[in-house]
Amino acid sequence: MEESSQDVSQMTSQQALCDPTERKSRKRLSTLKMFIIALSFAYFSKALTGTYMKSSITQIERRFDLSSTRVGLIDGSFEMGNLLFLAVVSHFGAQLHRPRLIAAGCLLMAVGALLTGLTHFFMGFYKYDTVIQVLQNSNVSIPACVDPLKTVDMPEIQIEPSVEDSKGCERESSSHMWIYVFLGNALRGIGETPVTPLGISYVDDFAKAENSPFYIACLQTITLLGPMFGFLLGSYCAKLYVDIGYVDIESVTITPKDSRWVGAWWLGFLVSSSLLLVSSIPFWFLPRSLPKQGHETDKPTPPSLILVGAGSAQNSNQTIKLTEIAKGFLPSLKRLLGTPAYFLLLCASILKFNSFIGLLTFKAKYMEQQFGQSASRANFLIGVLNLPAVAVGIFLGGLLMRRYKLSVVSGAQLSFATSFMGYLLLLLQFGTKCDNRPVAGLTVSYNGTQSVSYNGEMLFSDCNRDCSCSPDEWDPVCSDSGITYVSPCMAGCLNSSGRGKNTVFHNCSCVSTSYPPGSSMSVRLGQCPHAKDCSRSFTSYMAVSVLSSFINSLGATPGYMVIIRCITPDLKSLALGIQTLVTRTLGGIPAPVYFGALIDSTCLKWSIKKCGGRGACRIYDSNMYRIVFLGLITCLSGTSYFFMIAVIVLLKRQFWKADRETELQQPRAAKESGIMVQLDIQEKSSAGNTSPKPSSDKTDSAGVEKDLEG
């Protein structure tokens, strides 16, 4: 008996292993998990590339000698690429093979990132203007208080540029290499088009309704690892000199804190391009559709029905035409925008996205200019402190939605409350500030007193008028009094000692005006650091910034689910696509441009290109920078709350009306059910009076059975 029972158990286990239904269910479940894993890595890769672009804004601005407005235009080219194809892909993609469209998008993003990084190899070595370039090949002390373009023996005669220099100047003015960065970023934006809307809709279509918010929260959390590693990669590359491997680092006389420093910005784009290429591979092998979780049939499907079903599905796919799909686009769009709650949420999202893009694009630059941090340290702190706080906040927001099963109204209220608390913390950042660095002729006068306004003549003083200095040069030096001078020439220095980074200029006539008699009249390379109290202000700024990021992110997942649940299910893919399209069109494209234009208005000293024309800004008015930057962010965020309040009021009325209707329908249904029960009882009673009694039959049959047994 024991052997037979063991054989039976072995047979049942083997049957279970060979059961096609169980294998199919496991395969379906594993396929959905594989799609989520592949989508998570794709989200990670595209987020890493996008944030690396944000972290390299300062480096690109200096390398191509551009203004913040022009750099903002380059940054907005990503959204321009999205604008071209996002609405079409969101609508048509739901009817086509979504995983393969995502694979093609990842491949296109890889090509765009590669084109951006290869631009570095199309250009020559980076050259920055400094008087040390004249002195570093000579041990002879040349006075800085003489224009290097003039001969020492005949200072009245200026050397005319050679024919080769003229041709080089023409080449520089006619070549706009930043266009390749613009095109590469736009190509990356086109490739990103199908990833978000089609990936989210694919997961939401084939996952259980209760698991969908959790999956989306996990995707968003893993996505935020991409920005964290993107900023860390940007921090590492910003430490490396742009021409690393080709130039002797000892010959570089500037440091990463110098406004002329350019890091190896191109290296990160090559790394991110390889990641995007790898992320595209799994989607080529994933199926077009999956069965809904929890709806698998227990009975195996016969092979004949499988073949018939496959043939009918293939025929139905062939009958689908793009023109038929296109006919339903405008009615679906009209029905979507006709939903008041969705339209108001769209308006609020536009304003919030404007402030978010402006903050994300120029946050590192704000930390550089306001608190004197290097680009590498600013990117590192954003990646290590701010983004993990955002990731934890988004994940906890998804858990709150799942744990307490928040309704649409509760989700909207939570999103509003957390966003408004973050807004109040943002207002505290106005108090965390550092004063302008004392720069002679720009922020203070040469005797150390505060200057009222800046103009070109203020750079000159009685101490340097006989030095033949150029007002366009920027080669800052620092004195022991803490005052920075635009150049050794503007400081009136007569001789120098040392070489390279260790060069020290002596007998500076302008230094003596702010020094007590008998003090040192020497200056060293580089700007003077901020005062000690600025470090305390920076610590307070980072604490408030991290806390604000965490509180804001708590309402991200509830707000995202409100957008999905306030519309009909058949419009989910289109709603996500239109929201991404509109927010990036009206927020992602113009925000970096007008944020950059306002930042440019606070510039005190511009670099001048070799062939003429304004280049990159060297120093800003930090007080005006703070007021303009934070003021614009708070204005945009504050306006969005009016739309969010209107959405909450509208959703309350809508769902209160729906609940009221259900309450009124319940008594009616109860009355109707009571009437139906009474009718059934009457029918049964009337049928019982006319039909023979079954009990007599039962007793008769029982008596016959007893007689037979007896």
Side-chain angles (χ1 to χ4, degrees):
M1 293 296 292
E2 293 179 357
E3 294 178 355
S4 62
S5 62
Q6 291 178 358
D7 294 337
V8 171
S9 62
Q10 291 178 359
M11 290 176 62
T12 54
S13 62
Q14 292 177 358
Q15 289 176 356
L17 291 174
C18 298
D19 189 1
T21 305
E22 186 171 353
R23 284 185 298 172
K24 286 181 180 179
S25 61
R26 290 180 179 178
K27 183 178 179 181
R28 290 164 181 170
L29 185 61
S30 62
T31 303
L32 181 60
K33 289 183 178 179
M34 284 298 298
F35 180 84
I36 294 174
I37 293 173
L39 188 64
S40 300
F41 185 70
Y43 273 33
F44 170 82
S45 301
K46 76 179 184 67
L48 184 146
T49 311
T51 50
Y52 180 79
M53 180 68 188
K54 300 288 186 185
S55 67
S56 302
I57 283 294
T58 305
Q59 313 301 317
I60 294 174
E61 176 183 345
R62 296 171 181 173
R63 181 64 182 94
F64 295 92
D65 215 5
L66 304 173
S67 63
S68 297
T69 307
R70 186 70 59 84
V71 169
L73 181 65
I74 294 175
D75 185 71
S77 62
F78 177 84
E79 277 72 25
M80 296 179 189
N82 267 262
L83 172 63
L84 295 176
F85 296 96
L86 186 57
V88 178
V89 170
S90 299
H91 182 69
F92 290 98
Q95 313 294 333
L96 303 175
H97 201 300
R98 285 180 282 186
R100 290 183 181 175
L101 283 176
I102 295 174
C106 292
L107 184 61
L108 199 59
M109 284 192 292
V111 175
L114 182 64
L115 177 61
T116 303
L118 289 178
T119 309
H120 165 75
F121 300 97
F122 302 155
M123 308 171 67
F125 293 154
Y126 173 61
K127 296 180 180 180
Y128 54 91
D129 295 330
T130 176
V131 70
I132 307 301
Q133 292 178 352
V134 179
L135 303 177
Q136 63 185 1
N137 294 327
S138 176
N139 292 324
V140 180
S141 176
I142 300 177
C145 188
V146 173
D147 192 348
L149 294 179
K150 296 182 179 181
T151 59
V152 179
D153 296 333
M154 294 178 294
E156 301 84 9
I157 302 175
Q158 187 172 0
I159 300 175
E160 295 293 334
S162 63
V163 178
E164 295 181 358
D165 293 338
S166 301
K167 290 182 179 179
C169 185
E170 291 176 1
R171 281 198 305 270
E172 183 186 9
S173 60
S174 61
S175 61
H176 302 284
M177 301 301 294
W178 61 269
I179 295 179
Y180 292 100
V181 181
F182 181 92
L183 293 177
N185 204 34
L187 195 63
R188 190 171 58 85
I190 296 173
E192 199 264 349
T193 301
V195 179
T196 299
L198 299 186
I200 293 293
S201 63
Y202 192 92
V203 172
D204 195 62
D205 286 343
F206 303 124
K208 289 183 180 180
E210 60 270 19
N211 291 337
S212 180
F214 181 71
Y215 288 154
I216 293 175
C218 290
L219 281 172
Q220 291 179 340
T221 304
I222 295 174
T223 301
L224 283 172
L225 295 177
M228 184 176 69
F229 282 94
F231 276 108
L232 292 178
L233 181 62
S235 173
Y236 175 74
C237 293
K239 287 182 180 179
L240 307 176
Y241 188 65
V242 59
D243 294 320
I244 185 172
Y246 299 95
V247 175
D248 184 14
I249 302 300
E250 295 297 328
S251 63
V252 179
T253 60
I254 55 177
T255 63
K257 286 190 175 183
D258 198 291
S259 60
R260 294 164 294 173
W261 174 270
V262 177
W265 61 273
W266 50 273
L267 184 60
F269 287 106
L270 301 183
V271 174
S272 59
S273 176
S274 60
L275 290 176
L276 289 168
L277 181 62
V278 172
S279 68
S280 67
I281 297 176
F283 293 102
W284 296 108
F285 306 99
L286 291 171
R288 176 175 178 174
S289 61
L290 294 172
K292 185 81 171 179
Q293 277 186 352
H295 290 77
E296 292 85 2
T297 57
D298 296 333
K299 295 182 179 181
T301 306
S304 59
L305 294 180
I306 293 175
L307 294 176
V308 173
S312 61
Q314 185 177 2
N315 294 331
S316 62
N317 291 334
Q318 292 177 354
T319 56
I320 295 177
K321 296 180 181 179
L322 296 180
T323 55
E324 296 178 357
I325 302 174
K327 290 180 180 178
F329 176 71
L330 289 179
S332 300
L333 182 62
K334 183 178 180 181
R335 190 156 55 97
L336 179 65
L337 297 179
T339 306
Y342 178 80
F343 182 77
L344 292 174
L345 281 173
L346 198 61
C347 295
S349 299
I350 291 171
L351 295 172
K352 291 290 290 183
F353 198 71
N354 270 268
S355 63
F356 172 74
I357 288 296
L359 176 63
L360 184 63
T361 304
F362 297 105
K363 182 179 179 65
K365 186 173 183 178
Y366 176 79
M367 294 166 64
E368 294 178 53
Q369 300 297 327
Q370 184 67 218
F371 302 102
Q373 303 295 318
S374 65
S376 176
R377 180 172 171 78
N379 290 326
F380 178 79
L381 292 176
I382 293 173
V384 171
L385 298 179
N386 286 91
L387 293 180
V390 172
V392 173
I394 288 180
F395 186 74
L396 290 180
L399 289 181
L400 287 175
M401 287 285 293
R402 187 182 183 185
R403 171 68 176 81
Y404 297 102
K405 298 180 181 180
L406 299 180
S407 62
V408 179
V409 179
S410 300
Q413 291 174 340
L414 178 61
S415 179
F416 172 78
T418 54
S419 180
F420 189 72
M421 290 177 63
Y423 176 76
L424 296 179
L425 288 174
L426 181 63
L427 296 177
L428 295 179
Q429 295 183 10
F430 280 97
T432 56
K433 63 178 182 177
C434 291
D435 295 330
N436 283 319
R437 290 182 178 181
V439 181
L442 294 179
T443 60
V444 296
S445 61
Y446 276 86
N447 58 9
T449 60
Q450 293 289 331
S451 60
V452 181
S453 61
Y454 164 72
N455 55 64
E457 292 297 326
M458 288 188 64
L459 286 175
F460 296 97
S461 180
D462 295 334
C463 59
N464 58 19
R465 290 193 183 276
D466 298 330
C467 292
S468 302
C469 301
S470 172
D472 299 332
E473 63 183 358
W474 175 261
D475 195 11
V477 290
C478 177
S479 64
D480 292 340
S481 63
I483 297 179
T484 301
Y485 297 88
V486 173
S487 65
C489 183
M490 287 292 185
C493 302
L494 298 179
N495 49 41
S496 64
S497 63
R499 295 180 58 187
K501 296 179 182 178
N502 300 321
T503 303
V504 178
F505 296 91
H506 307 286
N507 296 326
C508 303
S509 58
C510 293
V511 176
S512 62
T513 59
S514 59
Y515 265 54
S519 300
S520 173
M521 296 174 60
S522 302
V523 294
R524 60 186 183 275
L525 287 176
Q527 286 183 259
C528 297
H530 279 285
K532 293 183 179 180
D533 57 349
C534 186
S535 60
R536 293 193 294 269
S537 298
F538 179 66
T539 303
S540 302
Y541 167 80
M542 288 304 302
V544 173
S545 176
V546 171
L547 185 59
S548 176
S549 301
F550 172 74
I551 294 177
N552 263 314
S553 60
L554 279 175
T557 302
Y560 200 76
M561 296 308 299
V562 168
I563 296 176
I564 296 178
R565 292 177 180 177
C566 71
I567 55 174
T568 55
D570 60 313
L571 296 176
K572 277 188 297 187
S573 179
L574 182 62
L576 294 174
I578 291 298
Q579 187 215 12
T580 308
L581 169 69
V582 174
T583 52
R584 286 182 173 176
T585 303
L586 301 179
I589 296 176
V593 178
Y594 66 75
F595 265 87
L598 290 174
I599 290 173
D600 284 340
S601 65
T602 66
C603 182
L604 295 177
K605 184 74 172 66
W606 293 92
S607 66
I608 303 299
K609 297 181 180 180
K610 294 179 180 179
C611 302
R614 195 173 69 178
C617 184
R618 297 306 187 193
I619 185 172
Y620 294 87
D621 185 347
S622 60
N623 292 327
M624 288 300 299
Y625 193 118
R626 184 184 71 257
I627 294 172
V628 167
F629 184 66
L630 296 180
L632 187 56
I633 292 174
T634 54
C635 180
L636 291 171
S637 299
T639 308
S640 67
Y641 295 127
F642 293 102
F643 293 98
M644 295 179 67
I645 293 173
V647 168
I648 294 174
V649 173
L650 186 64
L651 290 176
K652 278 186 175 182
R653 290 181 178 179
Q654 177 182 350
F655 285 92
W656 177 83
K657 184 178 180 181
D659 295 339
R660 184 64 176 171
E661 290 178 354
T662 54
E663 290 177 358
L664 293 176
Q665 288 176 358
Q666 286 178 356
R668 296 177 183 175
K671 290 180 180 179
E672 292 177 357
S673 61
I675 294 172
M676 294 300 294
V677 169
Q678 291 179 359
L679 291 175
D680 292 339
I681 293 173
Q682 291 178 0
E683 289 178 358
K684 289 180 180 179
S685 61
S686 60
N689 293 331
T690 56
S691 61
K693 295 181 180 179
S695 60
S696 60
D697 297 335
K698 290 181 180 179
T699 52
D700 294 339
S701 62
V704 172
E705 290 176 359
K706 287 181 180 180
D707 293 336
L708 293 174
E709 290 176 358

